[in-house]
Amino acid sequence: MAMGSTSLEKNWNVTNEVVDPQNWKVHGYYPEFREFVHSAIASIYTTYPQNWKVHGYYPEFREFVHSAIASIYTTYPHLLVSLGGIFWMQGESDSGIARSAYAYPVNLRALIDKMYQDFNNGEELPFVMGKINWRPAKKQAVINGAMSAIATERPSCVAVVETADLEVLKDHHFGSPALLQLGSRMAESFKRLLKK
């Protein structure tokens, strides 16, 4: 997951057992998962953006994922836990600066490869991206083109979803109905990648 108002170039640059679905009911794993997500969001929103420079976001994200997996292992040592995939909705900030936009294809490929290395021993993971739909973007076509190109190069593990038809609010962000549609499209793409 990536938060808006971040730049891939500046902030994210990186140069066997099955869980019983019953455990995810409200009184099983879900409360811990919900708390985990809420703490993650709180930590993102309370950290001043300047603390997330070139080597800031990614190392913290990597540590966060590894710590979360270790925590689950500690609580449930009989489970085989791993990261199942990545959902990426980012690129608006990069689209406003030509240098960042033109560096986006190289930086995004490097980020995907780094995530595979750090979270799946170099093996592919489903990586689902949403195209940006940001009205002030000067280089939106460059960012979206990079996403499409990477999805074409890596069809077994990378997918991109369209957002051009989703409603954007006056503050240039998606509203609730659009976010629900985006989530549904990303979930469908994720399921398709799992079948490959």
Side-chain angles (χ1 to χ4, degrees):
M1 177 178 82
M3 299 302 292
S5 302
T6 66
S7 164
L8 179 59
E9 181 187 33
K10 293 180 182 176
N11 308 122
W12 288 93
N13 204 336
V14 294
T15 322
N16 301 329
E17 227 178 300
V18 178
V19 175
D20 180 354
Q22 297 295 322
N23 291 331
W24 285 96
K25 289 189 172 179
V26 175
H27 300 295
Y29 293 149
Y30 182 76
E32 291 177 26
F33 173 72
R34 182 184 60 218
E35 184 179 337
F36 170 76
V37 170
H38 286 181
S39 2
I41 291 170
S43 73
I44 289 168
Y45 278 107
T46 55
T47 304
Y48 192 68
Q50 288 193 343
N51 293 333
W52 299 87
K53 300 232 175 181
V54 174
H55 298 293
Y57 279 155
Y58 186 77
E60 289 189 28
F61 171 72
R62 181 181 57 218
E63 178 60 30
F64 181 72
V65 172
H66 287 310
S67 295
I69 290 172
S71 174
I72 295 170
Y73 271 131
T74 301
T75 309
Y76 306 101
H78 62 286
L79 294 179
L80 180 60
V81 182
S82 63
L83 187 66
I86 298 153
F87 296 91
W88 185 257
M89 186 66 227
Q90 187 277 343
E92 289 84 353
S93 294
D94 293 283
S95 70
I97 302 166
R99 185 194 73 239
S100 296
Y102 291 120
Y104 199 84
V106 170
N107 290 336
L108 185 56
R109 285 180 182 92
L111 178 71
I112 292 170
D113 290 340
K114 184 69 172 154
M115 286 186 173
Y116 289 168
Q117 175 189 330
D118 289 342
F119 303 128
N120 206 34
N121 297 317
E123 299 294 320
E124 296 175 344
L125 279 169
F127 193 100
V128 182
M129 303 174 285
K131 287 186 177 181
I132 63 169
N133 182 0
W134 197 48
R135 303 289 187 259
K138 297 175 184 175
K139 300 291 182 186
Q140 178 169 299
V142 175
I143 302 299
N144 288 341
M147 292 181 186
S148 294
I150 294 169
T152 299
E153 292 164 11
R154 304 178 179 193
S156 65
C157 60
V158 179
V160 64
V161 300
E162 290 294 337
T163 60
D165 61 321
L166 299 181
E167 182 184 5
V168 177
L169 303 177
K170 290 179 183 177
D171 68 356
H172 308 295
H173 291 91
F174 293 125
S176 296
L179 286 172
L180 289 171
Q181 287 178 284
L182 174 63
S184 178
R185 291 175 188 181
M186 287 183 141
E188 286 302 315
S189 292
F190 179 76
K191 286 193 292 188
R192 280 194 296 274
L193 289 175
L194 288 178
K195 292 177 182 175
K196 291 186 177 184

